[in-house]
Every structure is written in structure tokens, then in C-alpha cells.
Amino acid sequence: MKLNAYFNDIKESYLFAEVGARSAAYAKAHPDKKVLKLGIGDVTLPLAPAVIEALHGAVDEMSESATFKGYGPYEGYEFLRESIKNYYVTYGVKVGLDEIFVSDGAKSDLGNILDIFAKDNTILVPDPVYPVYVDTNLMAGRKVIYACANAQNGFLPMPDYSVKADIIYICSPNNPTGAAYSPAQLKEWVAYANKLGAVILYDAAYECFITDNDTARSIFQIEGARTCAIEFCSFSKIAGFTGTRCGYTVIPHELEKDSLNANKMWLRRQATKFNGVPYIVQKGAAAVFTEEGQKQIKENIAYYRRNAKLIADCMDRLGIWYTGGKNSPYIWLKCPNGMGSWEFFDYLLENAQVVGTPGAGFGQNGEGYFRLTAFGSQEVTQEAVSRIENLLKK
Ligand code: MLT
């Protein structure tokens, strides 16, 4: 037997596991201190009442033989895919029912999608980057190259035609930086991908935080994207499903190469390795798109937006440079006084008992930066902001 030696190429622990372990060790050593967590982007508000009602209803259905459900369709129930299709229409995008695949979340699909791509593809990711894109490729032995995202380009790198890539990851609004591409900028990425015959893996998990019309909600709003893009979406951030687990991936029929069709391959892959998301969960997810559901989740998103504003206003008062916070639940800030990311992590933990995520954990270009999330409760966010302000204004 041989184990996968490519695991030697990734860090021993996943970034958020490391952050969790360090803050847990601090809390254990200081039981008298209250540690406030603005690290991992995990939601804190409960599921919307419309979702809860749908979940209960589905549980009841499972108790009667007339309505009981066993294995569901690999691609997800039609009632949910229909709702997703109609949701896309609200921002002017037409996708086919059989182009939508329901999954247990964007993170899983972003890793699993690699099954349909050859091993010798070159992967282009921005730096800093959500570690899942890098680690899943390194685990499979693929070559990963980086597009430099920095303060000069507003953490939104643009295509460089001297760079040859096969698979390009774009996350907008971005995790971790909160920066978001305009349709004009995405048009350049689509043109680049089509020219190279590359594919864009577009992570739209934070789409619901977009507040203005200058920011793209979907890669499929861009002409030409259907021949070069796959989009990954999630119910985690839009509707608090981080623990409930549901997402969806859109693969247009036009995405093909050498007589292989990505949409068909993905269905084949899912049918082989995945038995679908529980019926109960899909019923809950569909309730997100009802009139009531939309009203309720929008209130929740507004709550997180107010948190983001609390953090951003604090950075403004302290004169600290940051991106995000506007079309995003993340605030990506420059560590004060030239501190390194992990140095600032320790400083904040030890002196204010606030946990954030060190930018260096997202890549080399993240060194010297730090991420705070707006997904905490309002009380925790307010308290964390006042502790940070008291500490840093000194
Ligand atoms: C994050 O904090 O970056 C996210 O919660 C991670 C995720 O969505 O998997």
C-alpha cells in the first residue's frame, strides 16, 4: 500500500483548524477571559422561520408511507432546481434546469469538481486565496500558479496573457479579501479563459452580500461565460446553512472539450460518488426562495451587513487600511504598526481576546493582513470592535 505522497505538499493542518486550535489553547489557559470569535466565517443567526417550517413539514412527510422519500435524484429534486433557476432570472441570468446540480455545499463541489479534469492542468489562483482551491489541487498533484492580488490592484488581479493557465479560480465577492469584480473586469477574465481554452471555476458563495449594481452577481451575467465557466453557490451564507449543508453548481451544456462534455461528466461523477442531499434539507433550501423566505433571509443579511459596517467604521476611526465590508461579510485589513499576520493574531488574542484570521494563512500576499468576519452576533461584534479600538488607539 502507498499513501498519497502529495499530502506532503500541503500544510499539516487546515487554516481554520489551526486558528481554532490556537484560540482553544488560549481559552483553556485563561478560563477567566471571554474570547470573542471573528475568525471563521460561520453564521450565528438561526435558520429563517420559513425554512424551519419547511424542514418540519418534510420530516412529517418522511413519517408517512405515501410521502416517504428514499434515494433522490443525483442532481437534486426538481422543485429546488426550479426555484434556483427562477432566482437566477431575478438578476437576468437564464440557466437550464439540467444545468443545475444540488450538492451539500460549495466547498465540497469545489473540491469534487476536480474529478472531471485531467491531472496535468495548470491551476491559476489569486494570492491570497481561499485555501480549499489550492489544497485540493496540491493533494491531487496538480501544478498551482498564482495571480498577485495586492493593495495596488485592490486585491482584484486581472488576466496576464503571458501566463498560461487551464483552470482559473475566481471568488467574487472574494474570500478572504472582500473585494468584488465589476462585470467589465469579469468580461476580461472570460475573454482570457475563452482565448486559452481554459475554464473559470467561479465561487459565488457571497453573492447575496452585493449591494450595488456595479458588481456582478453571477459569472453567467457575462457574455461568453457559458463556454468557459462553472459557478458554485451555497446556502451557507445566504441562509445560514453552514450546519444544515446545501449548495448548488451550475455547469452549462456548452462547456466541452475533445468531445467530452463537462455537464454530462459531472452528472456521471455525482451518480457514481454521491447519493444526493437529504430531501428534508432540499425542502428547507427551497423555502429560501419563497416570498416569506426571501424577506426573512434578507433581514438576516442586513443584520450581518450592520456588523460589517460596525467593523469598517472602527477601521476608519483608527485610520487602518482595509478592503471589503461593503459587498462582503469580510473586512480585510492591514495589520497595524507593520505587524505580521500571526503576530497580530497573537497580539489581538492576548490583549483583547479577539480572534480573527491571519492573512498569511491565505497565501504569501496575505502576510501583513488580517481578516475579520461580520457573521458574529451583534453583541459579540460590538464588544470586539470596542476592545480592538481601545487596544489600537493607544
Ligand atoms: C471562511 O471562514 O473562510 C469560510 O467560512 C470557510 C468556508 O466557507 O468553508
Side-chain angles (χ1 to χ4, degrees):
M1 180 275 260
K2 279 188 185 162
L3 289 173
N4 181 354
Y6 289 122
F7 273 63
N8 290 322
D9 300 339
I10 60 173
K11 290 201 189 83
E12 198 172 329
S13 80
Y14 182 58
L15 172 62
F16 295 105
E18 170 84 20
V19 168
R22 289 205 196 194
S23 39
Y26 178 87
K28 196 169 170 210
H30 303 85
D32 53 316
K33 306 259 197 223
K34 187 174 169 211
V35 176
L36 305 178
K37 293 185 183 162
L38 299 186
I40 191 163
D42 197 2
V43 293
T44 45
L45 290 173
L47 295 172
V51 172
I52 293 294
E53 199 185 319
L55 291 171
H56 281 296
V59 169
D60 289 343
E61 282 184 72
M62 294 301 259
S63 71
E64 304 279 341
S65 46
T67 46
F68 169 78
K69 301 278 184 302
Y71 292 128
Y74 303 114
E75 65 275 35
Y77 283 98
E78 195 166 322
F79 64 78
L80 178 54
R81 288 182 295 118
E82 189 71 48
S83 305
I84 293 167
K85 185 177 155 215
N86 294 336
Y87 180 64
Y88 267 105
V89 172
T90 63
Y91 42 93
V93 173
K94 255 177 86 178
V95 295
L97 216 50
D98 57 356
E99 294 176 322
I100 300 167
F101 298 86
V102 176
S103 73
D104 65 342
K107 179 179 173 179
S108 324
D109 273 11
L110 279 156
N112 294 336
I113 197 76
L114 296 173
D115 276 3
I116 69 166
F117 293 103
K119 195 176 150 189
D120 56 355
N121 282 301
T122 297
I123 313 301
L124 178 64
V125 298
D127 174 5
V129 65
Y130 179 42
V132 170
Y133 313 155
V134 175
D135 291 354
T136 49
N137 279 291
L138 292 181
M139 281 173 188
R142 288 198 185 82
K143 181 176 167 200
V144 178
I145 56 174
Y146 295 88
C148 189
N150 53 32
Q152 285 70 48
N153 59 26
F155 285 95
L156 293 170
M158 295 306 293
D160 171 355
Y161 280 81
S162 70
V163 172
K164 301 287 168 242
D166 303 305
I167 298 178
I168 302 156
Y169 285 82
I170 295 179
C171 176
S172 180
N174 188 265
N175 179 14
T177 69
Y181 282 109
S182 68
Q185 289 171 313
L186 285 181
K187 206 170 154 194
E188 289 190 39
W189 276 110
V190 166
Y192 170 78
N194 275 324
K195 175 129 203 283
L196 261 56
V199 64
I200 295 173
L201 302 185
Y202 191 81
D203 184 349
Y206 299 92
E207 154 276 316
C208 61
F209 281 90
I210 294 170
T211 46
D212 57 38
N213 292 329
D214 309 325
T215 307
R217 303 276 299 268
S218 161
I219 190 76
F220 297 119
Q221 286 175 306
I222 312 302
E223 207 187 318
R226 289 184 58 88
T227 49
C228 70
I230 297 179
E231 181 156 289
F232 300 84
C233 304
S234 165
F235 289 93
S236 286
K237 317 291 155 135
I238 188 173
F241 272 56
T242 52
T244 309
R245 307 307 308 151
C246 198
Y248 51 98
T249 292
V250 176
I251 310 186
H253 292 302
E254 289 90 325
L255 197 67
E256 41 193 11
K257 192 81 170 252
D258 305 329
S259 76
L260 285 166
N261 182 284
N263 178 297
K264 286 195 183 132
M265 289 167 79
W266 182 241
L267 181 58
R268 183 70 179 80
R269 186 270 174 212
Q270 292 296 76
T272 308
K273 295 196 183 181
F274 184 59
N275 266 333
V277 176
Y279 172 74
I280 298 165
V281 172
Q282 292 194 54
K283 281 302 251 193
V288 168
F289 298 111
T290 60
E291 209 181 311
E292 264 307 275
Q294 282 292 298
K295 202 170 135 256
Q296 293 163 358
I297 62 141
K298 279 181 183 151
E299 280 164 19
N300 290 357
I301 293 165
Y303 174 96
Y304 295 131
R305 279 206 190 102
R306 286 194 293 275
N307 284 348
K309 186 162 175 357
L310 281 176
I311 302 171
D313 286 351
C314 168
M315 295 304 134
D316 285 337
R317 288 193 296 276
L318 290 168
I320 291 178
W321 187 95
Y322 65 93
T323 55
K326 187 170 161 251
N327 288 315
S328 157
Y330 296 126
I331 285 86
W332 176 255
L333 58 110
K334 181 110 188 75
C335 299
N337 308 320
M339 272 189 256
S341 297
W342 282 103
E343 188 186 357
F344 186 55
F345 174 88
D346 289 335
Y347 180 74
L348 216 51
L349 183 57
E350 277 156 30
N351 298 290
Q353 291 76 50
V354 173
V355 176
T357 310
F362 297 100
Q364 270 177 23
N365 279 6
E367 181 53 274
Y369 290 89
F370 199 74
R371 195 194 76 175
L372 292 171
T373 163
F375 284 123
S377 72
Q378 199 177 83
E379 299 69 41
V380 164
T381 309
Q382 233 150 14
E383 174 67 24
V385 159
S386 82
R387 289 192 199 173
I388 293 171
E389 192 157 6
N390 284 337
L391 179 68
L392 298 183
K393 77 177 178 206
K394 280 182 196 155

